[in-house]
C-alpha cells in the first residue's frame, strides 16, 4: 500500500515529520517498507524543449534532437519513438548520474554523432517500468526548471506492508485514522453530502441470486451521470496517482482509482451508452466467457459473480470491469457501480482465474460494507467537478450487510491479557478514536465495532487494539517463572536418544548432513516402492517429486555432488525422517550414513584402505552402543534389502524369533544402484531405525563386573570350519562353553587357502578366562579348553587346526 | 696407615676415570675386591695395637664408604649416558602429522536446535513433535485460517493426494499444527517448544522448499503479553550472547494469535556488514502473540479459563545471523567444505551451564 505525504494530508491534520510518521506507523502494526522521496538523485535534471527532431544520418531508429536547455541549445541523440518537435522533456546533461541505468552519463559519439546529453524516460529516471518513450512534461513547464518540481517528485511516498486483517488500511483514510488514534494528529472530518438526482437512471440494477447465494452481492448502489466530458485529470489527481505508481488514464478511470486508494472503496464506471438494458448481478453460467479490461478473455464457472447486461458479462464482481463496456475518452454518459461482493467468493474467483487487481486485493480482505452509498456520492462529486454532467438519482438494489457487532469488553483484560495497566478512560479514548462506539453494560463496556473493522471479533481483539495504539513498547517485560527452580528434562527419552545417536555418529568421524525430505521418484524407487500418497501434487521439480522412503538416496546424491566438486571420499550421515505412507505413524526417524572412497585420509602412518561393509557395521553398532543396546542382544543376519551388495550386507535384529524387529541394516551399496545414481563406488551405508530400538525399560541392565583378585588366563585357539560357517556361530559356541569363566572372546585372525583345502577357513580366537574364587590349575584350564573345542565342533563342525 | 690420603686420591681418580661400566667394575675390584687395596688394609688391622686399630679402623671405614658412594655415583652417570645415547638414536620427526582420526561434524541446524532447546529448557519448556505430513485441519483450519483466507493463500503449500475421507494432505507449512496436537492430548498448563522441518513451495536465493522452524507454546491461567515479552527478550539475549541486545515488539497479524507481534532485534548495517547488537537499526527475527481464543476452543481448551502465548521462528535465519552464514540454500547442499567449516564438534554440546557462545 503506497501513499504520498500530501495524500495523507487530505485526511490527517498533523505537524509530524516524515520520520515520526514512519516510526509510528511501524509501531502501530502498519509496517513501513520504505519511505522514498522520489526526487532523490533527480535534482539535476531540468526541463528542455525539443526545437527540432530529425533522423540520425547513420541509424534508422535514432533521432537527432536539437534542444533548448537552461544553458542554451544542445544536440542529443534519442531513440524514443515519441521524440518530436515541441515536446518538453527531462534533460540530463553530460556528467549527471542516470538512476535507471546506474551509470554516469558521458559525452559520447553515438553512431558517429556526438550527443550532448540525454532525454530521459521514466525507466531511466528510476520512476517506473514504462519504457515506451521519453517523459512528456506539461507544455507550460518552464525551460530550465528542475523537473522534480514540475513532476511533483519531492512529495515523500510511504510504502506499507499491510497485514491481511487490515483491509481498512488499504485506503489512505484508514491509515490516517490509526495515526490520529495514536496521537499523531487529528482526523479531518469526512463530509459526504448526498448529490440530488436530476432524473431516474435509465439503467436499472437487479440482484438475481438464489437465496443460498445472496451473500455473493447483497448490496449494489449505482448512479447514471449524463452529458459529461471524460477529459484528462487535473495535476493534483494525476500527482496523487503517479506518486504511488499508477498511470493516469482519464478522469473517470482516475476517479475510481482515487476512491480505491483513498478510501479502500473500489468502484467501477461503465460507459452507459455501451450497456444494453439493465444490469443484472448473478452467478456466472459455467463456461460463460468474459472479456476483461485489457482484452483478455476468461472462462467462468458457476461460483463466480458477474455483472451483466443483455449482451452478457460486463464485469467480474469485485475484481475487474469488462472491455466491452469500459470507459473511453469518448464516453459522455457513465454508470457508476459501488457494490459489496463476498470476500471469500471474490478471493476464490481471483485465484481460479489467476487474476489480480487492486479491487480484488481489497474485497478479499474485506472492504467497509457500509460505504457503498458514500462511495458513489464521493465519486459523483468528483465526476461533476472534473467532467461536468448531470447525475441521476441513486439506483439501489439490496441492502448493506450487517456489520454492527457489539462486544462485551472487561477493561481489566487489557492488564490480564495485554500485560499493561491502561487507564479505562485512555482505553475508551483509543477505541473511540478508532471508530468504536463505547457504551456501558453490566460492569463491562459494550463496544460496537465500526463497519470497516471486519477483523475485530472478540475481546482479545479489543485488547490488541488498545495495547497496539497505547504502545507495545510500554508493556513491561515479565520473566516466565517455573513452578520449581529445576526444570524437568526438555527431551523425552526418545528425543534424547536421537541427540545421542547424532553425536555418536559425529564422534565416529561422520559429517552430519541435512538433506531435503524430498527425493526424485527415479532414485526413490531403487530403495522402496513409493505409494501414490507420497507423490507431491505440486513438486518444485521432477528431481524432488516424492517424499523420501529412505535417507540413503539423498546421502548418495550428496556424496556424488561432493565427488563432482573434487571430494570423492564421503563420510556423511543424517538423522531425520523417512516416509512409508502419508499417515503420522508412517513417518519414522532414521539415522543413516554413507561412506565412500578411502576409509581414512592418506597418511604416512597408515596404509590406504577402501571403505567396506565393516565400516558401515561399525557405525551402526556405534549408535547401538551410544544408546545403550548391548551387542549381546543383537543378532546379525545376511539378509539386507536389495539396494545393498547381496554378499556384503546384513541386518541387525533383536535376539528373538523371525518376528523380532529389524533395528538396522548395513553393507556395501549395490553397484547397480550406485551406477544408476552416477556414483563411483564402492560405498557402504547403514540405516538405524531409531524408533524401533527397544525402549529404555527393555534395556538389559548389565551386571556390574566382579573385581576378582585372581589372575585371568588367556588361551588362543584356531578352528578350521567350512567357509560358509558364520564367525558369529563359532564365537557364540566358544562363549557358551563355560559361561561362568569365559570373560572375553576375540576373533583375531581369519585365514583361508594354504594347506586348509578348498571350502575351508581358519578362525583364530583368543579367550580370556577369569576365575572368581581361586587361581585356576593347569588341569582346570585344560578342561575348559576341551569343552570349548568340543562345543565348537558340535555347533559348527569346526576342528582345532593342527 | 699414614698413606691413606694418597690411596684415597688414587682410588677415587680411577673410579672417576672409568669410561664404562666394565672399567668401573675393574676399579671397584682393585679397591674393594677380595684382593683389593682397601680390603688388604682392612685385613691388616688385626696386627695393630688396640688403640691404633680403633683409630685406623674408623679411617678405613670412612674411606670404604666414600669409595662405595663414588662408585654408585659414577655408575649412575655412566648409565645415564648410555640411555641418552639410545634415546638419541630413537629420535623421530615430531613435526610429522598425526595419524588421521575421526573428524565428524554436527550440522549447524542441529546445533542451533540444541542451543534453542537448552535455553527454553531452562524456562521449563519441553520438546514436542508432530508429523511432517498434516491434513489441512491441523495445518490451517484449527489455527483459525479458514480455506479462503488470504493468509492460507500466501503460504505456498505443498499438497499430497487427498486422504480417503476427502481432507487434503499437505506438508506442514509451519510447526504450529503441533500446538493443536499437543493441546488435544494434554491439558494445560503446557510449555512446549517444537523444532522441526517445514515446507513451502518456493525456491530461490532466499527460499528453500524445506526449512526449519521452532514453535513455542505456553498455556496456563495467567500468562499475559508481558510474560511473552520477558520470555523472548531473555531468549534473544541468551541465544546471541548479548546482554543488552535491544529487542522490539511490533504489532502484526497472525490468524492464530491475538494480540500478535513481530519481534525485531537491534543491529547495525555499516558498510554493508550486518552486526547484531546496539546499532540503531532493526532486524525482524520472529513472530508471536497471545494464543487466539478460537484456537484454544478448537483444541477443546476453555478460553474463559486458559490463556497463553505462542511464537515461531526460522531456525536457519537465527543460525545464519549468529554464525555468519550468507546463503540459505547451502544448509541443504551437503557440501563437505561448508559442513566442515560451519559444523560443530561431536562433544560441543550446548548448555547454559557451559555457556552457549564460544
Amino acid at each position: 500500500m503506497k501513499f504520498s505525504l500530501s495524500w495523507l494530508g487530505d485526511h490527517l491534520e498533523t505537524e509530524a515529520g516524515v520520520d515520526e510518521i514512519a516510526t509510528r506507523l511501524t509501531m502501530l502494526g502498519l509496517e513501513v517498507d520504505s519511505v522514498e522521496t522520489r526526487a532523490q538523485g533527480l535534482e539535476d535534471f531540468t526541463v528542455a524543449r525539443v526545437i527540432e527532431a530529425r533522423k540520425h544520418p547513420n541509424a534508422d531508429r535514432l533521432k537527432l534532437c536539437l534542444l533548448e536547455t537552461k544553458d542554451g541549445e544542445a544536440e542529443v541523440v534519442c531513440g524514443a519513438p515519441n521524440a518530436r518537435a515541441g515536446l518538453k522533456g527531462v534533460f540530463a546533461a553530460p556528467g549527471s548520474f542516470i538512476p535507471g541505468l546506474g551509470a554516469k552519463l558521458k559525452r559520447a559519439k553515438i553512431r558517429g554523432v556526438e550527443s550532448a546529453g540525454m532525454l530521459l524516460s521514466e525507466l531511466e529516471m528510476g520512476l517506473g517500468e514504462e519504457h515506451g518513450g521519453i517523459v512528456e512534461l506539461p507544455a507550460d513547464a518552464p525551460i530550465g526548471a528542475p523537473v522534480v518540481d514540475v513532476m511533483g517528485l519531492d512529495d515523500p511516498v510511504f510504502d506499507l506492508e499491510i497485514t491481511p486483517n487490515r483491509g481498512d488500511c488499504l485506503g489512505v483514510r484508514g491509515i490516517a485514522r490509526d495515526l490520529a488514534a495514536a496521537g499523531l494528529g487529528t482526523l479531518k472530518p469526512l463530509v459526504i453530502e448526498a448529490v440530488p438526482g436530476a432524473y431516474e437512471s435509465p439503467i436499472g440494477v437487479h440482484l438475481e441470486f438464489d437465496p443460498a447465494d445472496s451473500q455473493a452481492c447483497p448490496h449494489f448502489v449505482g448512479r447514471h451521470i449524463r452529458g459529461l466530458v471524460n477529459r484528462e485529470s487535473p495535476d493534483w489527481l494525476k500527482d496523487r496517482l503517479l506518486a504511488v505508481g499508477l498511470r493516469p488514464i482519464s478522469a473517470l478511470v482516475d476517479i475510481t482509482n482515487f476512491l480505491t486508494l483513498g478510501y479502500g472503496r473500489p468502484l467501477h464506471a461503465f460507459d452507459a451508452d455501451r450497456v444494453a438494458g439493465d444490469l443484472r448481478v448473478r452467478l456466472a453460467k459455467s463456461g460463460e466467457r468474459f472479456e476483461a479490461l485489457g482484452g483478455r478473455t476468461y472462462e467462468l464457472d458457476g461460483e463466480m459473480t458477474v455483472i451483466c447486461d443483455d449482451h452478457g458479462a460486463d464485469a467480474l464482481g469485485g475484481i475487474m470491469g469488462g472491455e466491452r463496456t469500459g470507459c473511453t475518452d469518448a464516453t459522455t454518459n457513465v454508470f457508476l457501480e459501488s457494490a459489496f461482493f463476498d470476500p471469500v467468493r471474490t478471493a476464490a474467483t481471483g485465484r481460479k482465474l489467476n487474476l489480480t487487481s487492486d479491487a480484488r486485493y481489497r474485497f478479499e480482505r474485506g472492504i467497509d460494507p457500509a460505504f457503498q452509498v458514500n462511495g458513489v456520492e464521493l465519486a459523483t462529486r468528483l465526476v461533476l467537478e472534473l467532467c461536468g454532467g448531470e447525475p441521476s438519482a441513486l439506483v439501489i438494489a439490496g441492502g448493506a450487510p450487517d456489520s454492527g457487532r457489539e462486544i462485551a469488553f472487561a477493561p481489566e483484560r487489557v492488564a490480564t491479557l495485554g500485560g499493561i495497566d491502561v487507564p479505562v478512560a485512555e482505553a475508551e479514548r483509543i477505541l473511540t478514536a478508532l471508530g468504536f462506539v463505547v457504551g456501558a453494560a453490566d460492569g463491562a463496556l459494550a463496544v460496537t465495532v465500526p463497519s470497516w473493522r471486519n477483523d475485530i471479533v472478540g475481546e482479545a481483539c479489543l485488547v490488541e487494539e488498545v495495547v497496539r495504539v497505547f504502545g507495545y513498547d510500554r508493556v513491561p517485560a515479565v520473566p516466565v517463572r517455573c513452578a520449581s527452580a529445576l526444570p524437568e528434562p526438555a527431551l523425552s527419552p526418545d528425543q534424547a536418544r536421537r541427540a545421542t545417536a547424532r553425536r555418536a555418529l559425529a564422534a565416529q568421524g561422520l559429517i552430519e548432513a541435512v538433506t531435503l525430505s524430498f527425493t526424485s521418484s527415479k532414485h526413490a524407487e531403487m530403495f522402496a516402492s513409493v505409494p501414490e500418497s507420497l507423490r507431491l501434487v505440486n513438486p518444485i521439480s521432477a528431481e524432488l517429486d516424492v517424499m523420501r522412503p529412505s535417507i540413503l538416496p539423498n546421502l548418495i546424491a550428496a556424496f556424488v555432488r561432493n565427488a563432482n566438486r573434487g571430494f570423492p571420499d564421503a563420510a556423511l550421515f543424517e538423522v531425520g525422517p523417512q516416509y512409508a505412507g502419508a499417515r503420522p505413524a508412517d513417518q519414522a526417524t532414521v539415522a543413516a550414513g554413507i561412506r565412500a572412497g578411502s576409509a581414512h585420509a592418506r597418511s604416512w602412518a597408515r596404509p590406504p584402505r577402501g571403505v567396506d561393509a565393516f565400516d558401515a557395521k561399525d557405525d551402526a553398532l556405534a549408535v547401538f552402543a551410544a544408546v545403550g543396546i548391548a551387542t549381546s542382544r543383537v543378532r546379525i543376519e545376511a539378509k539386507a534389502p536389495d539396494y545393498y551388495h547381496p554378499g556384503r550386507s546384513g541386518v541387525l535384529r533383536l535376539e528373538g524369533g523371525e518376528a523380532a524387529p529389524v533395528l538396522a541394516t548395513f553393507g556395501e551399496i549395490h553397484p547397480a544402484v550406485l551406477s544408476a545414481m552416477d556414483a563411483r563406488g564402492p560405498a557402504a551405508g547403514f540405516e538405524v531405525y531409531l524408533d524401533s530400538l527397544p525402549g529404555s525399560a527393555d534395556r538389559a541392565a548389565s551386571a556390574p563386573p566382579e573385581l576378582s583378585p585372581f589372575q585371568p588366563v588367556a588361551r588362543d585357539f584356531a578352528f578350521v570350519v567350512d567357509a560358509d560357517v558364520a564367525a558369529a556361530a563359532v564365537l557364540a559356541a566358544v562363549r557358551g562353553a563355560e559361561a561362568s569363566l569365559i570373560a572375553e572372546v576375540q576373533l583375531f585372525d581369519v585365514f583361508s587357502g594354504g594347506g586348509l583345502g578348498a571350502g575351508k577357513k581358519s578362525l583364530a580366537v583368543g579367550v580370556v578366562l577369569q576365575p572368581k574364587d581361586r587361581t585356576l590349575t593347569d588341569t582346570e584350564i585344560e578342561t575348559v579348553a576341551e569343552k570349548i573345542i568340543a562345543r565348537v565342533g558340535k555347533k559348527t563342525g569346526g576342528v582345532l587346526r593342527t | 696407615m699414614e698413606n691413606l690420603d694418597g690411596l684415597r686420591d688414587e682410588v677415587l681418580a680411577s673410579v672417576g676415570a672409568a669410561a664404562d661400566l666394565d672399567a668401573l667394575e675393574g676399579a671397584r675390584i682393585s679397591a674393594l675386591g677380595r684382593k683389593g687395596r682397601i680390603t688388604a688394609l682392612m685385613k691388616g688391622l688385626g696386627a695393630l695395637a688396640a688403640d691404633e686399630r680403633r683409630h685406623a679402623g674408623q679411617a678405613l671405614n670412612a674411606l670404604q664408604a666414600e669409595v662405595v658412594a663414588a662408585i654408585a655415583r659414577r655408575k649412575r652417570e655412566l648409565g645415564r649416558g648410555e640411555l641418552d645415547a639410545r634415546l638419541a638414536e630413537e629420535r623421530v620427526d615430531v613435526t610429522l602429522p598425526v595419524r588421521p582420526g575421526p573428524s565428524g561434524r554436527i550440522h549447524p541446524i542441529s546445533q542451533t536446535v540444541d542451543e534453542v532447546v537448552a535455553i527454553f529448557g531452562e524456562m521449563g519448556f519441553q520438546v514436542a513433535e508432530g508429523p511432517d505430513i498434516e491434513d489441512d485441519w491441523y495445518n490451517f483450519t484449527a489455527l483459525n485460517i479458514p480455506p479462503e483466507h488470504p493468509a492460507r493463500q500466501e503460504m505456498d503449500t505443498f499438497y499430497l493426494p487427498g486422504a480417503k475421507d476427502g481432507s487434503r494432505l499437505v506438508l506442514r507449512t509451519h510447526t504450529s499444527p503441533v500446538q493443536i496436537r499437543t493441546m488435544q492430548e494434554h491439558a494445560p498448563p503446557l510449555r512446549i517448544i517444537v523444532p522441526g522441518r517445514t515446507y513451502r513451495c518456493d525456491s530461490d536465493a532466499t527460499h528453500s522448499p524445506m526449512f526449519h522452524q521452532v514453535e513455542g507454546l505456553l498455556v496456563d491461567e495467567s500468562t499475559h503479553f508481558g510474560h511473552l515479552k520477558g520470555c523472548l527478550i531473555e531468549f534473544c539475549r541468551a541465544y546471541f550472547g548479548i546482554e543488552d541486545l535491544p529487542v522490539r515488539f511490533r504489532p502484526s497479524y497472525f490468524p492464530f494469535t491475538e494480540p500478535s507481534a513481530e519481534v525485531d532485534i537491534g543491529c547495525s548495517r555499516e558498510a554493508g556488514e550486518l552486526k547484531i547488537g546496539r546499532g540503531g537499526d532493526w532486524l525482524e527475527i520472529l513472530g508471536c502473540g497471545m494464543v487466539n481464543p478460537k484456537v484454544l476452543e478448537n483444541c477443546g481448551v476453555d478460553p474463559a479459563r486458559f490463556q497463553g502465548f505462542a511464537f515461531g521462528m526460522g531456525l536457519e535465519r537465527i543460525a545464519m545471523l549468529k554464525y555468519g552464514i550468507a546463503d540459505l540454500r547451502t544448509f541443504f547442499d551437503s557440501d563437505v567444505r561448508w559442513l566442515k567449516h560451519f559444523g560443530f564438534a561431536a562433544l560441543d554440546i550446548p548448555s547454559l551451564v557451559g555457556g552457549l557462545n564460544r
Side-chain angles (χ1 to χ4, degrees):
Chain A
M1 170 72 195
K2 280 184 170 184
F3 63 93
S4 62
L5 183 62
S6 61
W7 200 338
L8 181 66
D10 291 352
H11 298 281
L12 186 72
E13 190 89 59
T14 183
E15 302 287 304
V18 173
D19 289 346
E20 195 183 352
I21 292 173
T23 306
R24 209 49 193 263
L25 285 169
T26 290
M27 290 311 290
L28 277 166
L30 308 173
E31 190 180 358
V32 177
D33 241 15
S34 65
V35 184
E36 283 170 13
T37 307
R38 296 190 306 153
Q40 206 170 10
L42 306 176
E43 296 87 345
D44 294 341
F45 303 141
T46 53
V47 179
R49 185 176 67 92
V50 180
I51 301 168
E52 177 191 49
R54 59 196 167 84
K55 207 178 89 47
H56 189 293
N58 305 324
D60 285 346
R61 299 216 173 152
L62 297 180
K63 292 171 189 162
L64 295 182
C65 295
L66 183 64
L67 303 183
E68 182 186 355
T69 75
K70 68 176 187 316
D71 300 319
E73 291 187 359
E75 190 170 56
V76 301
V77 178
C78 182
N82 62 337
R84 61 183 186 276
L87 177 144
K88 283 192 175 163
V90 176
F91 175 67
S96 49
F97 184 82
I98 311 298
L101 302 179
K104 255 191 179 178
L105 184 62
K106 291 189 193 127
R107 189 181 286 272
K109 279 195 174 173
I110 298 170
R111 294 287 184 99
V113 178
E114 186 167 287
S115 183
M118 188 173 174
L119 288 171
L120 301 181
S121 67
E122 283 192 3
L123 182 72
E124 285 150 353
M125 292 178 76
L127 293 179
E129 317 227 319
E130 296 285 332
H131 202 142
I134 54 176
V135 175
E136 298 191 27
L137 297 173
D140 58 359
I143 286 161
V147 297
V148 293
D149 295 348
V150 174
M151 294 177 75
L153 299 177
D154 47 2
D155 194 5
V157 176
F158 296 78
D159 191 354
L160 266 51
E161 189 111 13
I162 302 293
T163 51
N165 59 324
R166 292 305 300 275
D168 66 305
C169 284
L170 295 174
V172 181
R173 185 154 185 91
I175 293 165
R177 186 185 298 113
D178 257 36
L179 283 169
L184 226 65
T186 313
L187 187 67
K188 292 182 181 173
L190 178 62
V191 182
I192 294 177
E193 286 172 43
V195 181
Y199 60 99
E200 286 304 315
S201 165
I203 298 176
V205 173
H206 312 277
L207 304 181
E208 298 181 341
F209 294 96
D210 287 342
D213 301 322
S214 62
Q215 288 313 301
C217 177
H219 193 207
F220 187 122
V221 178
R223 169 171 267 155
H224 190 272
I225 304 174
R226 64 188 176 195
L228 54 81
V229 181
N230 188 17
R231 51 174 70 94
E232 193 181 329
S233 294
D235 285 347
W236 70 262
L237 178 52
K238 286 198 290 184
D239 284 348
R240 292 273 185 281
L241 298 179
L242 278 169
V244 299
L246 277 184
R247 199 159 48 92
I249 293 168
S250 67
L252 287 175
V253 177
D254 296 351
I255 287 167
T256 60
N257 284 332
F258 180 73
L259 267 287
T260 301
L261 294 168
Y263 299 91
R265 172 62 255 191
L267 297 175
H268 184 61
F270 294 90
D271 184 326
D273 295 336
R274 299 161 87 180
V275 173
D278 285 351
L279 289 174
R280 297 170 192 286
V281 193
R282 57 168 169 80
L283 293 185
K285 300 178 185 96
S286 185
E288 187 169 0
R289 297 177 77 79
F290 164 66
E291 188 186 3
L293 277 173
R296 246 196 95 177
T297 300
Y298 296 87
E299 193 177 312
L300 311 181
D301 68 26
E303 295 299 315
M304 301 173 175
T305 307
V306 289
I307 304 171
C308 38
D309 65 2
D310 293 351
H311 294 309
D314 292 324
L316 199 52
I319 299 180
M320 196 168 273
E323 179 74 12
R324 183 168 54 81
T325 51
C327 288
T328 66
D329 293 349
T331 299
T332 54
N333 300 311
V334 75
F335 187 84
L336 295 174
E337 166 250 300
S338 170
F340 187 85
F341 297 100
D342 176 38
V344 169
R345 197 179 287 275
T346 308
T349 300
R351 207 175 59 255
K352 278 188 271 192
L353 300 178
N354 196 17
L355 183 53
T356 56
S357 69
D358 282 339
R360 171 190 162 191
Y361 193 72
R362 285 163 177 78
F363 272 108
E364 66 187 15
R365 280 159 179 75
I367 63 159
D368 182 353
F371 208 75
Q372 279 74 253
V373 171
N374 288 351
V376 170
E377 298 291 7
L378 282 167
T380 305
R381 292 231 168 247
L382 282 167
V383 171
L384 298 181
E385 187 186 317
L386 304 188
C387 309
E390 188 183 20
S392 79
L394 292 178
V395 184
I396 298 180
D402 281 348
S403 56
R405 277 182 307 283
E406 192 179 280
I407 297 172
F409 179 45
E412 64 271 18
R413 286 298 280 152
V414 175
T416 58
L417 183 66
I420 183 166
D421 257 320
V422 177
V424 177
E426 174 64 3
E428 283 188 42
R429 185 203 66 77
I430 289 169
L431 290 173
T432 308
L434 290 172
F436 293 83
V437 177
V438 182
D442 346 297
L445 301 175
V447 176
T448 306
V449 180
S451 57
W452 55 86
R453 290 302 300 271
N454 65 346
D455 59 314
I456 304 293
V457 296
E459 196 174 45
C461 306
L462 298 176
V463 171
E464 178 176 69
E465 289 308 295
V466 171
V467 180
R468 175 178 76 88
V469 174
F470 193 71
Y472 275 13
D473 48 346
R474 294 164 77 177
V475 178
V478 184
V480 290
R481 299 202 188 287
C482 291
S484 66
L486 294 179
E488 298 270 309
L491 298 180
S492 70
D494 280 352
Q495 293 161 349
R497 173 180 285 210
R498 274 177 235 161
T500 304
R502 176 179 286 123
R503 299 270 165 190
L505 289 170
Q508 281 285 104
L510 292 163
I511 296 175
E512 189 188 11
V514 174
T515 69
L516 300 179
S517 301
F518 323 104
T519 193
S520 73
S521 45
K522 183 175 141 246
H523 288 168
E525 301 287 359
M526 292 188 285
F527 289 81
S529 70
V530 180
E532 275 312 304
S533 61
L534 292 182
R535 293 174 192 275
L536 291 169
V537 172
N538 53 340
I540 206 112
S541 76
E543 301 304 303
L544 302 171
D545 60 342
V546 294
M547 300 308 286
R548 63 189 189 187
S550 158
I551 301 175
L552 281 178
N554 284 3
L555 289 177
I556 294 171
F559 144 52
V560 172
R561 281 198 301 275
N562 280 299
N564 292 342
R565 293 183 190 115
F567 301 91
D569 295 342
L572 295 169
F573 80 99
E574 178 168 358
V575 177
Q578 71 178 35
Y579 310 85
R583 294 168 309 155
D586 296 331
Q587 180 176 333
T589 303
V590 176
I594 189 92
R595 290 183 185 263
S598 299
H600 51 73
R602 252 159 49 127
S603 166
W604 60 272
R606 216 178 262 183
R609 175 173 77 73
V611 299
D612 59 30
F614 295 99
D615 292 304
K617 182 180 175 185
D618 184 37
D619 292 332
L621 290 176
V623 174
F624 284 26
V627 303
I629 296 175
T631 43
S632 61
R633 303 188 59 205
V634 174
R635 189 171 80 214
I636 301 175
E637 292 174 354
K639 284 186 217 156
D642 293 345
Y643 45 89
Y644 286 110
H645 185 309
R648 298 184 172 183
S649 58
V651 299
L652 300 169
R653 280 176 191 271
L654 215 52
E655 279 293 1
E658 280 303 305
V662 171
L663 307 183
T665 65
F666 66 90
E668 290 177 29
I669 304 295
H670 198 294
V673 171
L674 289 178
S675 99
M677 296 186 72
D678 299 320
R680 219 183 265 188
F686 68 89
E687 294 168 290
V688 179
Y689 306 110
L690 295 174
D691 300 338
S692 305
L693 299 184
S696 53
D698 306 337
R699 239 180 274 171
S702 61
E706 279 185 48
L707 306 176
S708 167
F710 301 96
Q711 280 285 322
V713 179
R715 282 288 180 278
D716 291 350
F717 304 83
F719 294 105
V720 177
V721 292
D722 287 348
D724 59 358
V725 170
V730 175
L731 295 176
V734 172
R735 240 179 243 119
E738 187 62 82
S740 63
L741 270 179
I742 296 175
E744 224 178 291
V745 180
Q746 287 157 340
L747 190 140
F748 62 88
D749 192 39
V750 179
F751 172 77
S752 58
L756 290 176
K760 297 284 183 185
K761 65 181 174 187
S762 158
L763 302 176
V765 179
V767 177
V768 177
L769 305 176
Q770 175 64 66
K772 283 158 193 156
D773 48 6
R774 64 207 152 89
T775 304
L776 291 178
T777 65
D778 287 352
T779 323
E780 284 169 325
I781 296 168
E782 268 321 299
T783 310
V784 175
E786 277 161 21
K787 274 193 189 171
I788 289 173
I789 294 162
R791 193 154 195 272
V792 168
K794 188 176 157 212
K795 295 274 183 188
T796 71
V799 295
L800 204 61
R801 191 174 167 196
T802 46
Chain B
M1 287 281 121
E2 66 280 357
N3 213 14
L4 265 190
D5 283 351
L7 175 62
R8 177 179 174 274
D9 291 348
E10 273 174 47
V11 169
L12 290 179
S14 75
V15 167
D20 54 30
L21 291 174
D22 286 347
L24 181 62
E25 181 64 4
R28 185 189 68 81
I29 290 168
S30 81
L32 300 174
R34 241 178 336 132
K35 293 176 180 170
R37 294 167 72 186
I38 296 172
T39 313
L41 290 176
M42 292 279 205
K43 284 178 182 165
L45 285 177
L48 300 179
D51 214 25
E52 204 177 342
R53 187 168 66 216
R54 188 166 46 84
H55 184 73
Q58 282 174 348
L60 271 178
N61 278 339
L63 175 60
Q64 187 187 30
E66 188 178 0
V67 169
V68 166
I71 289 171
R73 190 163 60 241
R74 183 63 187 155
K75 198 171 182 175
R76 281 202 302 276
E77 283 169 14
L78 288 173
R80 189 180 304 134
E82 284 192 2
L83 182 61
D84 285 349
R86 199 183 90 216
L87 295 184
E89 268 177 32
E90 289 173 354
R91 176 190 302 277
V92 295
D93 177 3
V94 296
T95 67
L96 278 175
V98 297
R99 292 172 190 86
S103 57
R105 307 301 276 171
I106 293 290
H107 194 282
I109 276 297
S110 299
Q111 190 77 4
T112 303
V113 167
D114 287 353
E115 291 175 18
V116 169
V117 170
I119 298 170
F120 285 112
E122 287 296 311
M123 295 191 230
F125 287 78
Q126 294 180 310
V127 174
E129 294 164 310
D132 295 4
I133 300 172
E134 279 288 8
D135 67 36
D136 56 12
W137 189 82
Y138 281 104
N139 196 71
F140 295 119
T141 313
L143 288 160
N144 196 32
I145 315 175
E148 295 301 337
H149 196 284
R152 191 186 286 210
Q153 307 314 325
E154 284 166 12
M155 278 212 189
D156 299 317
T157 311
F158 277 113
Y159 293 99
L160 290 163
K164 285 199 184 83
D165 63 3
S167 65
R168 241 187 338 177
L169 292 180
V170 302
L171 295 186
R172 65 178 182 192
T173 56
H174 44 191
T175 41
S176 310
V178 184
Q179 285 188 28
I180 306 300
R181 290 181 177 275
T182 305
M183 285 193 278
Q184 282 183 330
E185 279 171 34
H186 304 282
L190 286 171
R191 286 185 193 197
I192 56 159
I193 48 167
V194 187
R197 295 183 173 211
T198 49
Y199 306 87
R200 307 251 174 118
C201 188
D202 200 353
S203 183
D204 59 34
T206 55
H207 296 89
S208 164
M210 182 189 93
F211 55 100
H212 294 76
Q213 280 189 346
V214 61
E215 186 87 4
L217 174 73
L218 189 160
V219 178
D220 60 18
E221 295 186 10
S222 60
T223 292
H224 56 59
F225 192 73
H227 295 107
L228 172 61
K229 284 185 76 174
C231 174
L232 291 177
I233 290 172
E234 277 189 59
F235 167 76
C236 290
R237 291 180 177 168
Y239 175 77
F240 289 104
I242 301 173
E243 240 174 81
D244 62 348
L245 179 66
V247 182
R248 175 174 87 169
F249 288 70
R250 186 161 45 69
S252 189
Y253 167 72
F254 306 103
F256 32 92
T257 51
E258 186 84 41
S260 303
E262 279 182 334
V263 178
D264 301 334
I265 55 171
C267 69
S268 64
R269 291 185 174 88
E270 271 162 38
E273 201 196 336
L274 178 73
K275 202 166 161 269
I276 308 293
R278 280 193 185 282
D281 215 341
W282 295 103
L283 185 70
E284 180 194 327
I285 65 156
L286 66 92
C288 63
M290 302 306 295
V291 181
N292 193 310
K294 283 191 185 162
V295 174
L296 296 174
E297 237 167 63
N298 291 340
C299 305
V301 174
D302 179 7
R305 181 173 162 207
F306 294 106
Q307 60 184 44
F309 62 69
F311 58 85
M313 71 186 117
L315 285 167
E316 284 82 3
R317 180 164 174 76
I318 62 170
M320 288 166 85
L321 292 172
K322 183 163 176 176
Y323 296 113
I325 302 170
D327 185 343
L328 172 67
R329 290 173 299 186
T330 55
F331 279 85
F332 311 111
D333 190 43
S334 312
D335 187 322
V336 289
R337 296 164 296 180
W338 187 92
L339 291 169
K340 283 179 183 168
H341 179 81
F342 287 111
F344 292 80
L347 292 178
D348 187 357
I349 301 174
S351 75
L352 287 192
V353 175
L356 287 177
N357 298 283
R358 321 213 180 282

